[in-house]
Amino acid sequence: MPIWDQRAETMSDDERAALQTQRLGALLRRLADASPFYKRRLADAGVDAEARVTLDDLAALPFTTKADLWDHYPWGLLAVPREQVVRVHGSSGTGGRPTLVAYSRGDLALWAEVCARALGCAGAGPGTITHVGYGYGLFTGGLGMHQGAELMGCTVIPASAGQTQRQVTLIRDLKPEVLCCTPSYAARLGEALAEAGVAKDEISLRAGIFGAEPWSEAMRAQIEAVLPLKALDIYGLSEIIGPGVSCECVEAQAGVPQPHRDEGVRCSLHVNEDHFLVEVIDPDTGAPLPPRTRGELVFTTLTKEAMPLLRYRTGDIAALDRTPCVCGRTLARMSKVFGRVDDMLVIRGVNVYPSEVEAVVVAARAVAPHYLLVVDRTETMPKLVVACELAADWTVGAETEEGERERVAAEVGAALLERLGLTTEVRVLPGGTIPRVELGKAQRVVDRTREHDPLRELSE
């Protein structure tokens, strides 16, 4: 398929390394000159911003963390005059305080460029009808993919999130070829289209770009079972630019999936590393990790103007592979996000990432792709309760539906025990019980306490 920016996405390793080195040196000089925060941070680390720097020196540079953004809220990390900020985006933070990110006009152009590259990975081109079902607003999803599609010359449907019946009408009538939304909402749209009587072979979609939530290969299979498209993962975070930091291509996605135990090291998302210098580190020690090893993603924004970040610790767990892709792109490839450092659950001494549970639950044919993980903290030792629901098209084999749900719960519980080494309580509920996601990201993990029982709310 055509590549949006042939030169940038296929340059040789030596050419890209030279470009990154030049841009890294320019970034350090600019930070030392224009950012009081980084001038102090570099001085404290003993870094001479005027000295010649190479990529081998990267590990000696200081990290930046989300706490730095909160501590210098709202404008403390600017590297341009405030008057040059033309837009602000952000995400929620602790205590209702958002993590805000400033964009210059050049930053918006950069963002549109990398989102156009993502659409190119999906096979889009001028005139491709693109349905954007991400939310518009402070959240970066909708506007990022919208401006990338406009730059490419696509026909954009700015549907935003929610109002599912209206989205069904737009997809049925306007016949888009590319869908951009969260994976959980893609599953909901597939369900809603079927409920509206639209057969799978009547749906025009051929590619989907899904992000903003970690999602598993099993969820990919579920989405592709209800929508006639190739489900592609896109990665980004507002602190770096928004969606478009990396994206899967159709060619790599079409490859043979790795077994579940290797899912975290199947690397198929192309990182736009001419703009975002990427590392994977040990989250405990900060030491660099070798290729195809899971660790914490760290990014340096080489070309951002308003709020560039040096070695930003994302908290996202993934792996990198620097071998070329069959599509012809020579960019480094990252895996799907396996989880987050701060999202890991510790249940009776066992470390559990929600994505590991999803990989088992969504792969079960008898179960719909909607679930909720409830950490029961009503006793001294927490336990994990997995609430899911029977698939709408599942044929009940037991004498009663309740008996079938109990049988399926036992099967899913056994699969979770094998994968996690942890006994969980699985509750398979009637279809339609788990709340559907209409707006924003799916909330997959909740606590059960003596004061609040989400399991009771599901059964009422």
Side-chain angles (χ1 to χ4, degrees):
M1 289 189 177
I3 295 174
W4 171 249
D5 188 335
Q6 185 76 28
R7 181 181 180 279
E9 297 179 68
T10 64
M11 66 175 61
S12 70
D13 291 345
D14 289 345
E15 187 180 8
R16 182 173 292 111
L19 178 64
Q20 290 172 327
T21 299
Q22 180 268 320
R23 287 180 169 175
L24 179 60
L27 173 66
L28 291 176
R29 291 189 294 274
R30 189 160 68 87
L31 290 177
D33 179 62
S35 169
F37 167 80
Y38 275 116
K39 183 176 182 178
R40 293 190 302 270
R41 181 62 60 89
L42 292 170
D44 290 345
V47 175
D48 180 0
E50 297 298 326
R52 183 178 181 276
V53 64
T54 70
L55 298 182
D56 292 335
D57 301 319
L58 190 60
L61 300 178
F63 289 115
T64 309
T65 67
K66 181 165 285 192
D68 293 321
L69 276 67
W70 288 338
D71 291 345
H72 296 82
Y73 172 93
W75 305 116
L77 266 68
L78 285 183
V80 298
R82 209 280 311 151
E83 292 75 16
Q84 293 183 20
V85 174
V86 297
R87 194 190 297 173
V88 173
H89 280 285
S91 57
S92 59
T94 58
R97 177 178 52 177
T99 301
L100 293 183
V101 182
Y103 293 73
S104 69
R105 197 169 303 280
D107 294 334
L108 293 182
L110 162 62
W111 192 12
E113 164 66 24
V114 295
C115 285
R117 292 186 191 181
L119 287 159
C121 284
T128 298
I129 302 176
T130 303
H131 184 106
V132 181
Y134 287 111
Y136 284 61
L138 274 181
F139 172 65
T140 54
L143 284 166
M145 295 309 298
H146 181 116
Q147 61 197 20
E150 286 192 340
L151 175 64
M152 178 172 273
C154 299
T155 301
V156 185
I157 305 171
S160 191
Q163 301 188 53
T164 298
Q165 294 312 308
R166 183 184 67 176
Q167 307 236 17
V168 167
T169 299
L170 292 170
I171 291 172
R172 183 188 60 208
D173 296 348
L174 298 181
K175 301 189 182 307
E177 300 162 82
V178 176
L179 172 64
C180 305
C181 64
T182 63
S184 55
Y185 195 56
R188 171 63 187 134
L189 282 173
E191 184 180 65
L193 283 160
E195 292 168 354
V198 183
K200 183 178 176 180
D201 61 6
E202 296 175 322
I203 300 171
S204 56
L205 296 166
R206 57 180 172 79
I209 300 177
F210 307 132
E213 305 166 349
W215 53 296
S216 64
E217 293 294 335
M219 177 63 90
R220 191 200 303 271
Q222 282 280 0
I223 293 171
E224 293 182 349
V226 295
L227 293 172
L229 49 70
K230 284 294 183 183
L232 308 178
D233 198 359
I234 188 171
Y235 174 80
L237 60 167
S238 57
E239 299 95 312
I240 301 304
I241 197 70
V245 173
S246 68
C247 188
E248 281 185 304
C249 63
V250 170
E251 293 88 345
Q253 192 274 0
V256 178
Q258 297 289 328
H260 283 316
R261 66 179 182 275
D262 295 325
E263 184 177 297
V265 294
R266 181 190 175 195
C267 300
S268 54
L269 284 83
H270 296 280
V271 181
N272 289 307
E273 53 179 339
D274 52 328
H275 296 292
F276 314 115
L277 195 56
V278 60
E279 307 169 72
V280 172
I281 65 167
D282 184 311
D284 295 323
T285 67
L289 293 176
R292 303 188 65 80
T293 303
R294 297 174 184 173
E296 183 179 358
L297 286 170
V298 174
F299 286 98
T300 296
T301 59
L302 293 173
T303 57
K304 276 185 69 177
E305 296 174 348
M307 209 179 91
L309 295 179
L310 180 64
R311 301 195 77 203
Y312 181 73
R313 298 187 61 157
T314 66
D316 292 327
I317 301 296
L320 283 178
D321 187 349
R322 297 192 177 277
T323 58
C325 180
V326 294
C327 71
R329 293 174 178 86
T330 56
L331 300 162
R333 290 173 290 136
M334 58 174 272
S335 69
K336 277 180 167 291
V337 172
F338 183 70
R340 286 190 53 80
V341 173
D342 51 6
D343 281 352
M344 185 180 72
L345 305 173
V346 181
I347 309 294
R348 299 177 183 267
V350 178
N351 297 339
V352 178
Y353 286 106
S355 58
E356 288 186 291
V357 180
E358 178 184 282
V360 173
V361 172
V362 180
R365 292 179 54 246
V367 175
H370 308 287
Y371 65 93
L372 187 67
L373 308 185
V374 181
V375 181
D376 189 337
R377 302 189 186 278
T378 58
E379 304 295 337
T380 303
M381 292 289 288
K383 68 177 182 179
L384 183 62
V385 182
V386 180
C388 51
E389 60 183 53
L390 206 61
D393 59 352
W394 184 250
T395 301
V396 175
E399 292 184 3
T400 65
E401 180 182 313
E402 183 177 358
E404 182 71 0
R405 288 193 278 111
E406 290 177 354
R407 186 190 67 78
V408 173
E411 287 185 355
V412 174
L416 287 169
L417 176 61
E418 180 179 358
R419 174 157 184 144
L420 305 177
L422 175 71
T423 299
T424 59
E425 178 184 343
V426 179
R427 298 192 186 184
V428 179
L429 305 171
T433 303
I434 304 296
R436 294 333 191 227
V437 176
E438 296 286 337
L439 297 170
K441 304 179 183 181
Q443 183 181 15
R444 299 297 198 190
V445 183
V446 296
D447 280 353
R448 182 189 189 193
T449 65
R450 297 183 186 277
E451 295 76 26
H452 174 61
D453 187 355
L455 294 171
R456 178 177 296 175
E457 293 174 0
L458 290 176
S459 62
E460 291 177 348

